[in-house]
Amino acid sequence: MNNSISARLERLPVCWTHYRLLLIHGMGWLFDAMDVGIIIFVLVALKSDWNLTAPQIGLAASSGMAGMFVGAAVSGWAADTFGRKRVFQWTLLIFTIFSFLCAASWNLTSLIIFRFFVGLGLGGELPVVSSLMSEFVPAKSRGRFIVLLESFWAYGWLAAAIVSFLVIPNYGWRIAFLIAGVPAFYVWIIRWKLPESPRWYQSQGRHEEAEAVVASLEEDVSRSIKGPLPEVGPTLPSPEIAARGSSFKELWSRPYIRRTVMLWILWFFLIFGYYGIFIWLPTLLVKAGFTMIRSFSYVLIITLAQIPGYFSAALLVDKVGRKWVISVYLLFSALAALFYGRAELPAQIIFWGSIMAFFNLGAWGAVYTYTPELYPTRTRASGVGFAASFGRLGGILAPILVGLLLASIGTRGVMAMNAAALAVAAIAVAVLGIETKGRTLEDISR
């Protein structure tokens, strides 16, 4: 019976039951992104309200990344040890509480402290949710589902751009923080009813609980499709029972060391390029002479391009494969960043910014699909968490470097630096990566 858990999950047809999980987890992702997006617009307002310098803006932006660095590393290990559901509930609660507190910030120091703890919760949640979703969805649809999960990030940034455009100029930045925090708390409440991963239960030797979750899922799917379920396929390899405290060491063992090196390079340079570009977009536009409202409107248009980027990746990731979607999309994003750095007219800024956003966020969707697939269930969340945590070092470094170098190398130099980072990430996947499309999690991790 124990060995059939994965086989039973793999044979389930994708239906409303899976999409409900996607929607609930995606809403949490949306409000996470909304808060991250709002801070880039808030910093534009605070530049004049608190007379912030460019290095101070970079420091405030990086404080959240520092929290994400700690949160991702700790939560991945905790999710493999104590369960996915428990950890993502605690991390979302931390995120929500400190999002509210950001609205009460009275100076730069208080904002930096609150943003650190917002990042702690956010960095802890994202790796765990992607691992959890990948353990429920069958191999034939897993790539599409995880990219669609990641696409909620674009909706969150879009919501942040709309709220910032309408609220900050008229009602101030504190109200924007409050608007982001309220719905995130609601998602925390409704997530309590979601099941734990049966694959995780099985990896812990908790076979009766795994059986109960799968039986309930089968019942829901049967009702949804209004008919009998397909026959269970061949039994898949039974996972080894996890040994506590062994996850980090296993990431560097012979079967996984190449994957770990590739993922750490990918995450570091992807996050460096992403935050080096998008955290600074409104500020760079204001520096170029555009008004705050005009800058916000340009960023809103550029943000819209993220959505078709995600959907294009969702269409391709299970057909072309994860490896080449990530590599090609990152190279196109890097190329667009170079042209964006040279853009002067509004039409050029919007065009190249949109191309950059389209490919960059499409690549992000594929990365969140790819990363949890490369490790066994017993270390999956740790593998994602440590890769994301190492990547956050790039997120800490990039905003600070941009703030320090902007005066000397200008927007063109800054964008060239970020484009180079994205190109390194693309090359790492092309050279060191393996293809995982269409393979079960148990097959990939052997």
Side-chain angles (χ1 to χ4, degrees):
M1 179 179 68
N2 299 336
N3 294 351
S4 70
I5 292 294
S6 297
R8 288 163 64 187
L9 288 169
E10 289 294 331
R11 86 13 166 123
L12 292 178
V14 171
C15 62
W16 167 244
T17 301
H18 296 91
Y19 283 104
R20 181 173 66 87
L21 291 172
L22 172 66
L23 179 63
I24 294 173
H25 289 311
M27 291 302 290
W29 211 300
L30 184 153
F31 295 116
D32 292 344
M34 184 176 175
D35 180 88
V36 173
I38 278 177
I39 189 62
I40 74 170
F41 298 99
V42 167
L43 289 174
V44 175
L46 289 181
K47 185 178 187 298
S48 57
D49 287 1
W50 290 354
N51 297 314
L52 300 182
T53 64
Q56 287 176 320
I57 292 173
L59 184 61
S62 293
S63 61
M65 295 301 104
M68 293 177 79
F69 166 75
V70 177
V74 173
S75 71
W77 166 83
D80 282 333
T81 305
F82 304 110
R84 281 68 162 122
K85 179 179 177 179
R86 183 182 301 178
V87 173
F88 77 55
Q89 282 298 94
W90 276 108
T91 53
L92 182 58
L93 182 62
I94 292 170
F95 167 85
T96 304
I97 290 172
F98 284 93
S99 291
F100 284 129
L101 289 176
C102 283
S105 300
W106 56 91
N107 58 21
L108 179 62
T109 301
S110 63
L111 179 64
I112 287 172
I113 293 171
F114 294 149
R115 292 305 301 174
F116 173 86
F117 284 100
V118 167
L120 187 71
L122 175 61
E125 183 188 5
L126 299 182
V128 177
V129 173
S130 62
S131 297
L132 181 63
M133 276 298 300
S134 70
E135 291 170 357
F136 272 99
V137 182
K140 62 181 180 294
S141 304
R142 190 174 60 243
R144 174 167 54 90
F145 260 75
I146 306 303
V147 175
L148 290 176
L149 171 67
E150 231 282 300
S151 73
F152 281 84
W153 189 266
Y155 308 140
W157 269 71
L158 180 60
I162 293 172
V163 168
S164 299
F165 181 76
L166 297 176
V167 172
I168 292 177
N170 299 309
Y171 303 102
W173 55 270
R174 298 183 191 274
I175 301 300
F177 275 131
L178 293 176
I179 290 174
V182 171
F185 182 71
Y186 175 71
V187 173
W188 177 80
I189 294 173
I190 63 175
R191 273 187 177 177
W192 277 110
K193 296 182 179 180
L194 295 180
E196 178 59 271
S197 165
R199 279 183 159 108
W200 178 79
Y201 276 139
Q202 190 181 17
S203 76
Q204 300 293 304
R206 297 164 63 173
H207 304 303
E208 292 183 1
E209 291 159 295
E211 168 67 27
V213 173
V214 173
S216 176
L217 187 63
E218 288 172 332
E219 185 178 339
D220 287 346
V221 172
S222 180
R223 282 198 301 265
S224 182
I225 65 175
K226 298 179 181 179
L229 298 175
E231 293 294 322
V232 179
T235 298
L236 296 170
S238 182
E240 297 179 19
I241 304 302
R244 288 179 181 260
S246 65
S247 55
F248 184 80
K249 182 179 179 181
E250 185 172 8
L251 302 181
W252 297 97
S253 63
R254 181 170 294 180
Y256 305 112
I257 185 170
R258 176 171 173 167
R259 303 179 187 190
T260 300
V261 169
M262 181 271 296
L263 286 174
W264 284 35
I265 295 172
L266 166 63
W267 277 83
F268 180 90
F269 287 102
L270 172 58
I271 292 178
F272 184 102
Y274 176 80
Y275 284 99
I277 293 170
F278 290 97
I279 284 288
W280 278 91
L281 272 187
T283 302
L284 291 175
L285 289 169
V286 170
K287 181 179 180 296
F290 298 101
T291 65
M292 184 170 68
I293 293 178
R294 179 68 63 86
S295 299
F296 285 4
S297 67
Y298 288 170
V299 175
L300 175 59
I301 296 170
I302 291 170
T303 300
L304 284 170
Q306 298 180 13
I307 298 174
Y310 279 119
F311 280 104
S312 69
L315 290 172
L316 294 173
V317 75
D318 283 322
K319 297 178 180 178
V320 176
R322 286 73 155 134
K323 176 178 176 177
W324 297 113
V325 167
I326 294 170
S327 298
V328 172
Y329 272 50
L330 285 178
L331 286 175
F332 275 114
S333 182
L335 185 63
L338 288 175
F339 281 103
Y340 181 89
R342 299 171 179 272
E344 297 179 356
L345 300 176
Q348 295 172 330
I349 291 170
I350 291 172
F351 177 79
W352 289 114
S354 297
I355 297 297
M356 183 171 61
F358 177 98
F359 285 107
N360 193 282
L361 278 298
W364 266 108
V367 167
Y368 267 104
T369 299
Y370 191 48
T371 306
E373 293 177 335
L374 296 177
Y375 297 109
T377 301
R378 62 184 176 272
T379 56
R380 179 165 296 121
S382 294
V384 180
F386 283 118
S389 178
F390 184 75
R392 299 303 167 190
L393 293 175
I396 296 169
L397 182 61
I400 294 174
L401 270 182
V402 172
L404 293 174
L405 298 176
L406 184 58
S408 57
I409 65 176
T411 299
R412 181 177 297 187
V414 163
M415 297 306 288
M417 176 180 69
N418 292 314
L422 296 175
V424 170
I427 293 168
V429 177
V431 174
L432 298 175
I434 64 169
E435 187 50 67
T436 59
K437 69 168 183 173
R439 299 169 63 186
T440 67
L441 294 174
E442 289 72 23
D443 176 44
I444 298 168
S445 62
R446 283 189 292 174

